[in-house]
Amino acid sequence: MEIERVTILGAGTMGRGIAEVAAVHGLQVTVIEPSASQRTAAAEQIGASVEKGIRRGKLAVSSAEEVLQRLVWIESMQEAAAAEFVIEAAVEREDIKVELFQQLDEICGSDVILGSNTSSISITRLAAATKRPEQVVGMHFFNPVPVMAPVEIVRGLQTSDATVAATRELAERMGKQAFAVADSPGFAVNRMLMPLINEAVFALQEGVADAATLDSLMKLGCNHPMGPLELADLIGLDVCLFITNVLHRELGDPKYRPCPLLVRMVDAGRLGRKTGEGFFHYDS
Ligand SMILES: NC(=O)c1ccc[n+]([C@@H]2O[C@H](COP(=O)([O-])OP(=O)(O)OC[C@H]3O[C@@H](n4cnc5c(N)ncnc54)[C@H](O)[C@@H]3O)[C@@H](O)[C@H]2O)c1
């Protein structure tokens, strides 16, 4: 199944990154984004990122214009009617995603695969909102998308082998390394990463060491490029808490209970880099 056109829902942090790598690798891309300011900001960011990539000799394209002209920016969901493959990267709200999948199911041709970049919502539940559950799949990219190599291809309970194969092919066409994983809470990476971050917060709360010491030990002792607390600040403490709550609720094991300090940090609005304050301080 040769995919030439992808339709991306949402031009936030992830949607614009996915749009960029798709266009850089020669795909025609339609981005559906309701917010005009997000559409403008995304196009500007992609242009700047591609120019930087060309300057550094990392991209095999001649100009940013060549990439930008493969992108079409629109507001209306009805344009999804022309889609060959959809990658949904809208906000992480199950009610919104379920509604989007119901609409996509109505609008898109019957052979179209509906993918979601969700970090934590069950692909099987999104698939259940459609009449094509075998053609619904997770396509979980990592942030920042132009830089990070892997994509988790998440197989829902009813996802077909053909859908997994076509999604893998598309991810590879976009220059990514695809890894198929089961539809289990947190998929593979967040299932391992969030308990590590949560445990680091427990260690901090219990006074094992201060934040800088805990991070330095993990960097030097485990060869991690970034300590778990700095990484939590980068991801966003609200996002870390949300995913940890999903692990706790859906796996039912108390070992996943969120650390009270993580909850308090989020209550206080100290969400990490995006608010300038988390486990560390960031000047804007
Ligand atoms: N941020 C990350 O590090 C990260 C990493 C992996 C996966 N994800 C997942 O990717 C998805 C998007 O995350 P994000 O960080 O880019 O969010 P974001 O808030 O930056 O962007 C979401 C975008 O979706 C748009 N949107 C809202 N309703 C929409 C609709 N009905 N149709 C189309 N677009 C709509 C918003 O206007 C916004 O531009 C989420 O499911 C998230 O869990 C995020």
Side-chain angles (χ1 to χ4, degrees), residues 127-143:
T130 74
K131 292 184 215 71
R132 63 181 87 192
E134 68 289 347
Q135 284 158 242
V136 175
V137 67
M139 201 174 184
H140 185 222
F141 291 83
F142 291 80
N143 186 13

mmCIF file with all atom_site columns, all heavy atoms in Angstrom, residues 127-143:
data_model
loop_
_atom_site.group_PDB
_atom_site.id
_atom_site.type_symbol
_atom_site.label_atom_id
_atom_site.label_alt_id
_atom_site.label_comp_id
_atom_site.label_asym_id
_atom_site.label_entity_id
_atom_site.label_seq_id
_atom_site.pdbx_PDB_ins_code
_atom_site.Cartn_x
_atom_site.Cartn_y
_atom_site.Cartn_z
_atom_site.occupancy
_atom_site.B_iso_or_equiv
_atom_site.pdbx_formal_charge
_atom_site.auth_seq_id
_atom_site.auth_comp_id
_atom_site.auth_asym_id
_atom_site.auth_atom_id
_atom_site.pdbx_PDB_model_num
ATOM 1   N N   . ALA A 1 127 ? -10.636 2.943  18.612 1.00 0.00 ? 127 ALA A N   1
ATOM 2   C CA  . ALA A 1 127 ? -11.101 2.100  17.502 1.00 0.00 ? 127 ALA A CA  1
ATOM 3   C C   . ALA A 1 127 ? -12.580 1.752  17.665 1.00 0.00 ? 127 ALA A C   1
ATOM 4   O O   . ALA A 1 127 ? -13.335 1.701  16.685 1.00 0.00 ? 127 ALA A O   1
ATOM 5   C CB  . ALA A 1 127 ? -10.260 0.825  17.439 1.00 0.00 ? 127 ALA A CB  1
ATOM 6   N N   . ALA A 1 128 ? -12.986 1.558  18.924 1.00 0.00 ? 128 ALA A N   1
ATOM 7   C CA  . ALA A 1 128 ? -14.377 1.165  19.199 1.00 0.00 ? 128 ALA A CA  1
ATOM 8   C C   . ALA A 1 128 ? -15.365 2.275  18.843 1.00 0.00 ? 128 ALA A C   1
ATOM 9   O O   . ALA A 1 128 ? -16.556 2.024  18.700 1.00 0.00 ? 128 ALA A O   1
ATOM 10  C CB  . ALA A 1 128 ? -14.525 0.772  20.671 1.00 0.00 ? 128 ALA A CB  1
ATOM 11  N N   . ALA A 1 129 ? -14.845 3.507  18.688 1.00 0.00 ? 129 ALA A N   1
ATOM 12  C CA  . ALA A 1 129 ? -15.729 4.625  18.301 1.00 0.00 ? 129 ALA A CA  1
ATOM 13  C C   . ALA A 1 129 ? -15.983 4.614  16.797 1.00 0.00 ? 129 ALA A C   1
ATOM 14  O O   . ALA A 1 129 ? -16.742 5.438  16.293 1.00 0.00 ? 129 ALA A O   1
ATOM 15  C CB  . ALA A 1 129 ? -15.094 5.947  18.716 1.00 0.00 ? 129 ALA A CB  1
ATOM 16  N N   . THR A 1 130 ? -15.323 3.704  16.060 1.00 0.00 ? 130 THR A N   1
ATOM 17  C CA  . THR A 1 130 ? -15.447 3.678  14.594 1.00 0.00 ? 130 THR A CA  1
ATOM 18  C C   . THR A 1 130 ? -16.064 2.357  14.130 1.00 0.00 ? 130 THR A C   1
ATOM 19  O O   . THR A 1 130 ? -16.177 1.407  14.909 1.00 0.00 ? 130 THR A O   1
ATOM 20  C CB  . THR A 1 130 ? -14.060 3.806  13.916 1.00 0.00 ? 130 THR A CB  1
ATOM 21  O OG1 . THR A 1 130 ? -13.366 2.554  14.076 1.00 0.00 ? 130 THR A OG1 1
ATOM 22  C CG2 . THR A 1 130 ? -13.230 4.917  14.532 1.00 0.00 ? 130 THR A CG2 1
ATOM 23  N N   . LYS A 1 131 ? -16.364 2.324  12.832 1.00 0.00 ? 131 LYS A N   1
ATOM 24  C CA  . LYS A 1 131 ? -16.869 1.060  12.240 1.00 0.00 ? 131 LYS A CA  1
ATOM 25  C C   . LYS A 1 131 ? -15.732 0.346  11.508 1.00 0.00 ? 131 LYS A C   1
ATOM 26  O O   . LYS A 1 131 ? -15.968 -0.551 10.710 1.00 0.00 ? 131 LYS A O   1
ATOM 27  C CB  . LYS A 1 131 ? -18.020 1.366  11.272 1.00 0.00 ? 131 LYS A CB  1
ATOM 28  C CG  . LYS A 1 131 ? -19.260 1.889  11.992 1.00 0.00 ? 131 LYS A CG  1
ATOM 29  C CD  . LYS A 1 131 ? -20.411 2.084  11.011 1.00 0.00 ? 131 LYS A CD  1
ATOM 30  C CE  . LYS A 1 131 ? -21.294 3.266  11.342 1.00 0.00 ? 131 LYS A CE  1
ATOM 31  N NZ  . LYS A 1 131 ? -20.667 4.586  11.107 1.00 0.00 ? 131 LYS A NZ  1
ATOM 32  N N   . ARG A 1 132 ? -14.492 0.801  11.750 1.00 0.00 ? 132 ARG A N   1
ATOM 33  C CA  . ARG A 1 132 ? -13.332 0.164  11.091 1.00 0.00 ? 132 ARG A CA  1
ATOM 34  C C   . ARG A 1 132 ? -12.231 -0.104 12.122 1.00 0.00 ? 132 ARG A C   1
ATOM 35  O O   . ARG A 1 132 ? -11.066 0.312  11.903 1.00 0.00 ? 132 ARG A O   1
ATOM 36  C CB  . ARG A 1 132 ? -12.812 1.054  9.963  1.00 0.00 ? 132 ARG A CB  1
ATOM 37  C CG  . ARG A 1 132 ? -12.305 2.396  10.459 1.00 0.00 ? 132 ARG A CG  1
ATOM 38  C CD  . ARG A 1 132 ? -11.805 3.298  9.366  1.00 0.00 ? 132 ARG A CD  1
ATOM 39  N NE  . ARG A 1 132 ? -12.885 4.073  8.805  1.00 0.00 ? 132 ARG A NE  1
ATOM 40  C CZ  . ARG A 1 132 ? -12.812 4.781  7.698  1.00 0.00 ? 132 ARG A CZ  1
ATOM 41  N NH1 . ARG A 1 132 ? -11.693 4.820  7.036  1.00 0.00 ? 132 ARG A NH1 1
ATOM 42  N NH2 . ARG A 1 132 ? -13.845 5.474  7.267  1.00 0.00 ? 132 ARG A NH2 1
ATOM 43  N N   . PRO A 1 133 ? -12.541 -0.786 13.237 1.00 0.00 ? 133 PRO A N   1
ATOM 44  C CA  . PRO A 1 133 ? -11.535 -0.930 14.302 1.00 0.00 ? 133 PRO A CA  1
ATOM 45  C C   . PRO A 1 133 ? -10.249 -1.599 13.834 1.00 0.00 ? 133 PRO A C   1
ATOM 46  O O   . PRO A 1 133 ? -9.182  -1.333 14.377 1.00 0.00 ? 133 PRO A O   1
ATOM 47  C CB  . PRO A 1 133 ? -12.253 -1.782 15.355 1.00 0.00 ? 133 PRO A CB  1
ATOM 48  C CG  . PRO A 1 133 ? -13.418 -2.398 14.651 1.00 0.00 ? 133 PRO A CG  1
ATOM 49  C CD  . PRO A 1 133 ? -13.812 -1.466 13.552 1.00 0.00 ? 133 PRO A CD  1
ATOM 50  N N   . GLU A 1 134 ? -10.344 -2.429 12.782 1.00 0.00 ? 134 GLU A N   1
ATOM 51  C CA  . GLU A 1 134 ? -9.124  -3.097 12.294 1.00 0.00 ? 134 GLU A CA  1
ATOM 52  C C   . GLU A 1 134 ? -8.191  -2.117 11.586 1.00 0.00 ? 134 GLU A C   1
ATOM 53  O O   . GLU A 1 134 ? -7.017  -2.411 11.376 1.00 0.00 ? 134 GLU A O   1
ATOM 54  C CB  . GLU A 1 134 ? -9.486  -4.296 11.395 1.00 0.00 ? 134 GLU A CB  1
ATOM 55  C CG  . GLU A 1 134 ? -10.123 -3.975 10.067 1.00 0.00 ? 134 GLU A CG  1
ATOM 56  C CD  . GLU A 1 134 ? -11.582 -3.460 10.159 1.00 0.00 ? 134 GLU A CD  1
ATOM 57  O OE1 . GLU A 1 134 ? -12.225 -3.575 11.231 1.00 0.00 ? 134 GLU A OE1 1
ATOM 58  O OE2 . GLU A 1 134 ? -12.066 -2.931 9.162  1.00 0.00 ? 134 GLU A OE2 1
ATOM 59  N N   . GLN A 1 135 ? -8.711  -0.923 11.229 1.00 0.00 ? 135 GLN A N   1
ATOM 60  C CA  . GLN A 1 135 ? -7.886  0.092  10.545 1.00 0.00 ? 135 GLN A CA  1
ATOM 61  C C   . GLN A 1 135 ? -7.557  1.271  11.467 1.00 0.00 ? 135 GLN A C   1
ATOM 62  O O   . GLN A 1 135 ? -7.245  2.356  10.988 1.00 0.00 ? 135 GLN A O   1
ATOM 63  C CB  . GLN A 1 135 ? -8.620  0.614  9.311  1.00 0.00 ? 135 GLN A CB  1
ATOM 64  C CG  . GLN A 1 135 ? -8.593  -0.357 8.149  1.00 0.00 ? 135 GLN A CG  1
ATOM 65  C CD  . GLN A 1 135 ? -9.727  -0.081 7.195  1.00 0.00 ? 135 GLN A CD  1
ATOM 66  O OE1 . GLN A 1 135 ? -10.600 -0.934 6.996  1.00 0.00 ? 135 GLN A OE1 1
ATOM 67  N NE2 . GLN A 1 135 ? -9.758  1.099  6.624  1.00 0.00 ? 135 GLN A NE2 1
ATOM 68  N N   . VAL A 1 136 ? -7.622  1.059  12.764 1.00 0.00 ? 136 VAL A N   1
ATOM 69  C CA  . VAL A 1 136 ? -7.239  2.109  13.716 1.00 0.00 ? 136 VAL A CA  1
ATOM 70  C C   . VAL A 1 136 ? -5.966  1.648  14.428 1.00 0.00 ? 136 VAL A C   1
ATOM 71  O O   . VAL A 1 136 ? -5.860  0.497  14.848 1.00 0.00 ? 136 VAL A O   1
ATOM 72  C CB  . VAL A 1 136 ? -8.381  2.386  14.724 1.00 0.00 ? 136 VAL A CB  1
ATOM 73  C CG1 . VAL A 1 136 ? -7.928  3.393  15.781 1.00 0.00 ? 136 VAL A CG1 1
ATOM 74  C CG2 . VAL A 1 136 ? -9.617  2.913  13.979 1.00 0.00 ? 136 VAL A CG2 1
ATOM 75  N N   . VAL A 1 137 ? -4.997  2.575  14.556 1.00 0.00 ? 137 VAL A N   1
ATOM 76  C CA  . VAL A 1 137 ? -3.670  2.185  15.040 1.00 0.00 ? 137 VAL A CA  1
ATOM 77  C C   . VAL A 1 137 ? -3.045  3.361  15.792 1.00 0.00 ? 137 VAL A C   1
ATOM 78  O O   . VAL A 1 137 ? -3.392  4.516  15.534 1.00 0.00 ? 137 VAL A O   1
ATOM 79  C CB  . VAL A 1 137 ? -2.791  1.783  13.805 1.00 0.00 ? 137 VAL A CB  1
ATOM 80  C CG1 . VAL A 1 137 ? -2.484  2.973  12.907 1.00 0.00 ? 137 VAL A CG1 1
ATOM 81  C CG2 . VAL A 1 137 ? -1.510  1.084  14.208 1.00 0.00 ? 137 VAL A CG2 1
ATOM 82  N N   . GLY A 1 138 ? -2.160  3.074  16.705 1.00 0.00 ? 138 GLY A N   1
ATOM 83  C CA  . GLY A 1 138 ? -1.405  4.139  17.365 1.00 0.00 ? 138 GLY A CA  1
ATOM 84  C C   . GLY A 1 138 ? -0.130  4.404  16.571 1.00 0.00 ? 138 GLY A C   1
ATOM 85  O O   . GLY A 1 138 ? 0.501   3.472  16.057 1.00 0.00 ? 138 GLY A O   1
ATOM 86  N N   . MET A 1 139 ? 0.223   5.670  16.433 1.00 0.00 ? 139 MET A N   1
ATOM 87  C CA  . MET A 1 139 ? 1.468   6.037  15.770 1.00 0.00 ? 139 MET A CA  1
ATOM 88  C C   . MET A 1 139 ? 2.096   7.078  16.686 1.00 0.00 ? 139 MET A C   1
ATOM 89  O O   . MET A 1 139 ? 1.887   8.272  16.531 1.00 0.00 ? 139 MET A O   1
ATOM 90  C CB  . MET A 1 139 ? 1.159   6.590  14.373 1.00 0.00 ? 139 MET A CB  1
ATOM 91  C CG  . MET A 1 139 ? 2.326   6.529  13.441 1.00 0.00 ? 139 MET A CG  1
ATOM 92  S SD  . MET A 1 139 ? 1.856   7.025  11.776 1.00 0.00 ? 139 MET A SD  1
ATOM 93  C CE  . MET A 1 139 ? 3.426   6.726  10.946 1.00 0.00 ? 139 MET A CE  1
ATOM 94  N N   . HIS A 1 140 ? 2.841   6.597  17.682 1.00 0.00 ? 140 HIS A N   1
ATOM 95  C CA  . HIS A 1 140 ? 3.311   7.441  18.775 1.00 0.00 ? 140 HIS A CA  1
ATOM 96  C C   . HIS A 1 140 ? 4.726   7.934  18.481 1.00 0.00 ? 140 HIS A C   1
ATOM 97  O O   . HIS A 1 140 ? 5.704   7.195  18.656 1.00 0.00 ? 140 HIS A O   1
ATOM 98  C CB  . HIS A 1 140 ? 3.254   6.649  20.094 1.00 0.00 ? 140 HIS A CB  1
ATOM 99  C CG  . HIS A 1 140 ? 3.604   7.458  21.286 1.00 0.00 ? 140 HIS A CG  1
ATOM 100 N ND1 . HIS A 1 140 ? 4.401   6.989  22.306 1.00 0.00 ? 140 HIS A ND1 1
ATOM 101 C CD2 . HIS A 1 140 ? 3.270   8.721  21.632 1.00 0.00 ? 140 HIS A CD2 1
ATOM 102 C CE1 . HIS A 1 140 ? 4.534   7.934  23.218 1.00 0.00 ? 140 HIS A CE1 1
ATOM 103 N NE2 . HIS A 1 140 ? 3.852   8.991  22.831 1.00 0.00 ? 140 HIS A NE2 1
ATOM 104 N N   . PHE A 1 141 ? 4.798   9.201  18.055 1.00 0.00 ? 141 PHE A N   1
ATOM 105 C CA  . PHE A 1 141 ? 6.086   9.848  17.778 1.00 0.00 ? 141 PHE A CA  1
ATOM 106 C C   . PHE A 1 141 ? 6.636   10.419 19.083 1.00 0.00 ? 141 PHE A C   1
ATOM 107 O O   . PHE A 1 141 ? 5.920   10.583 20.064 1.00 0.00 ? 141 PHE A O   1
ATOM 108 C CB  . PHE A 1 141 ? 5.892   11.000 16.786 1.00 0.00 ? 141 PHE A CB  1
ATOM 109 C CG  . PHE A 1 141 ? 5.529   10.564 15.391 1.00 0.00 ? 141 PHE A CG  1
ATOM 110 C CD1 . PHE A 1 141 ? 4.211   10.265 15.049 1.00 0.00 ? 141 PHE A CD1 1
ATOM 111 C CD2 . PHE A 1 141 ? 6.505   10.471 14.408 1.00 0.00 ? 141 PHE A CD2 1
ATOM 112 C CE1 . PHE A 1 141 ? 3.873   9.882  13.756 1.00 0.00 ? 141 PHE A CE1 1
ATOM 113 C CE2 . PHE A 1 141 ? 6.181   10.096 13.110 1.00 0.00 ? 141 PHE A CE2 1
ATOM 114 C CZ  . PHE A 1 141 ? 4.858   9.800  12.785 1.00 0.00 ? 141 PHE A CZ  1
ATOM 115 N N   . PHE A 1 142 ? 7.920   10.790 19.050 1.00 0.00 ? 142 PHE A N   1
ATOM 116 C CA  . PHE A 1 142 ? 8.555   11.362 20.239 1.00 0.00 ? 142 PHE A CA  1
ATOM 117 C C   . PHE A 1 142 ? 8.967   12.804 19.965 1.00 0.00 ? 142 PHE A C   1
ATOM 118 O O   . PHE A 1 142 ? 9.219   13.189 18.816 1.00 0.00 ? 142 PHE A O   1
ATOM 119 C CB  . PHE A 1 142 ? 9.760   10.490 20.653 1.00 0.00 ? 142 PHE A CB  1
ATOM 120 C CG  . PHE A 1 142 ? 9.296   9.155  21.186 1.00 0.00 ? 142 PHE A CG  1
ATOM 121 C CD1 . PHE A 1 142 ? 8.928   8.142  20.319 1.00 0.00 ? 142 PHE A CD1 1
ATOM 122 C CD2 . PHE A 1 142 ? 9.158   8.950  22.548 1.00 0.00 ? 142 PHE A CD2 1
ATOM 123 C CE1 . PHE A 1 142 ? 8.437   6.932  20.800 1.00 0.00 ? 142 PHE A CE1 1
ATOM 124 C CE2 . PHE A 1 142 ? 8.673   7.742  23.031 1.00 0.00 ? 142 PHE A CE2 1
ATOM 125 C CZ  . PHE A 1 142 ? 8.314   6.727  22.162 1.00 0.00 ? 142 PHE A CZ  1
ATOM 126 N N   . ASN A 1 143 ? 9.025   13.574 21.007 1.00 0.00 ? 143 ASN A N   1
ATOM 127 C CA  . ASN A 1 143 ? 9.236   15.012 20.938 1.00 0.00 ? 143 ASN A CA  1
ATOM 128 C C   . ASN A 1 143 ? 10.710  15.358 21.190 1.00 0.00 ? 143 ASN A C   1
ATOM 129 O O   . ASN A 1 143 ? 11.260  14.892 22.196 1.00 0.00 ? 143 ASN A O   1
ATOM 130 C CB  . ASN A 1 143 ? 8.351   15.648 22.031 1.00 0.00 ? 143 ASN A CB  1
ATOM 131 C CG  . ASN A 1 143 ? 8.345   17.157 22.005 1.00 0.00 ? 143 ASN A CG  1
ATOM 132 O OD1 . ASN A 1 143 ? 8.795   17.765 21.055 1.00 0.00 ? 143 ASN A OD1 1
ATOM 133 N ND2 . ASN A 1 143 ? 7.855   17.747 23.076 1.00 0.00 ? 143 ASN A ND2 1
#
